[in-house]
Amino acid sequence: FGTDAPEPGWQAGASEPAGLLLCALCGAETANGMGLLEGSTLLYPEALLLDSDSYHHVRIDLAGLDTSQEAFALHVIKAVGPQGHFLAQKHTRDHVRQWQLSELTTQPKEGGGYRDPIELAREKVEWILENHHPEPLQEAQQRELNRILEAAERELR
């Protein structure tokens, strides 16, 4: 994650999932930079939600990645060619229902069409900030966390 995009939008939305997918295909088990834009220097809470959505789609897709001849459909790609489209292909019609779309991109708006995913993410961030009240750590957990931090500080001196 992390992008040079100046704000949440299609530039960030196009680059981050592709980068995450490539990292995962190379064997990476972790990612960083969720929600960071402008060269990973500025955190946007709504970008954090959009990135989380992308992460889960990549995770789900890779968990069940089908590498069979049928799934790759190279015969369809060859038949369609570089300037065609796949919507008229039987293979596409047979498999289109398997695609999972994000709840952030499929909210209908009055009058038709879909709501802006960034607007939905901002609304969700506002709801979380107003309604999420995590329980404080238990005393034993807080003591253990303090012990770990003190040990780390001693080691770094």
Side-chain angles (χ1 to χ4, degrees):
F1 288 107
T3 178
D4 290 335
E7 60 187 25
W10 289 113
Q11 181 183 354
S15 64
E16 291 178 341
L20 181 61
L21 178 62
L22 288 173
C23 289
L25 288 171
C26 291
E29 295 179 354
T30 61
N32 64 359
M34 289 180 77
L36 295 176
L37 300 167
E38 294 190 26
S40 296
T41 61
L42 189 58
L43 176 68
Y44 280 83
E46 62 271 30
L48 183 60
L49 288 179
L50 294 165
D51 287 350
S52 175
D53 191 68
S54 294
Y55 162 79
H56 287 292
H57 279 282
V58 169
R59 181 182 58 80
I60 290 166
D61 288 345
L62 286 177
L65 186 61
D66 183 357
T67 57
S68 69
Q69 296 261 345
E70 172 67 14
F72 272 109
L74 295 178
H75 64 287
V76 178
I77 294 170
K78 185 175 182 180
V80 169
Q83 293 195 351
H85 67 81
F86 296 90
L87 296 177
Q89 300 297 312
K90 181 176 181 344
H91 185 276
T92 301
R93 292 190 307 273
D94 291 345
H95 292 85
V96 73
R97 299 254 186 256
Q98 296 172 355
W99 301 345
Q100 294 183 4
L101 300 175
S102 165
E103 69 177 36
L104 294 173
T105 60
T106 58
Q107 294 288 321
K109 69 178 179 182
E110 279 187 37
Y114 295 97
R115 294 188 59 205
D116 179 6
I118 297 167
E119 178 185 309
L120 286 167
R122 286 184 182 132
E123 288 175 10
K124 195 168 182 178
V125 165
E126 288 175 19
W127 185 92
I128 290 169
L129 292 173
E130 288 175 14
N131 297 290
H132 180 66
H133 305 288
E135 292 189 26
L137 294 175
Q138 295 175 4
E139 229 178 282
Q141 293 170 317
Q142 187 62 51
R143 279 195 308 272
E144 178 65 8
L145 187 57
N146 287 337
R147 186 192 66 74
I148 292 169
L149 291 172
E150 289 168 3
E153 283 182 25
R154 283 193 303 274
E155 193 173 307
L156 292 173
R157 288 183 201 158

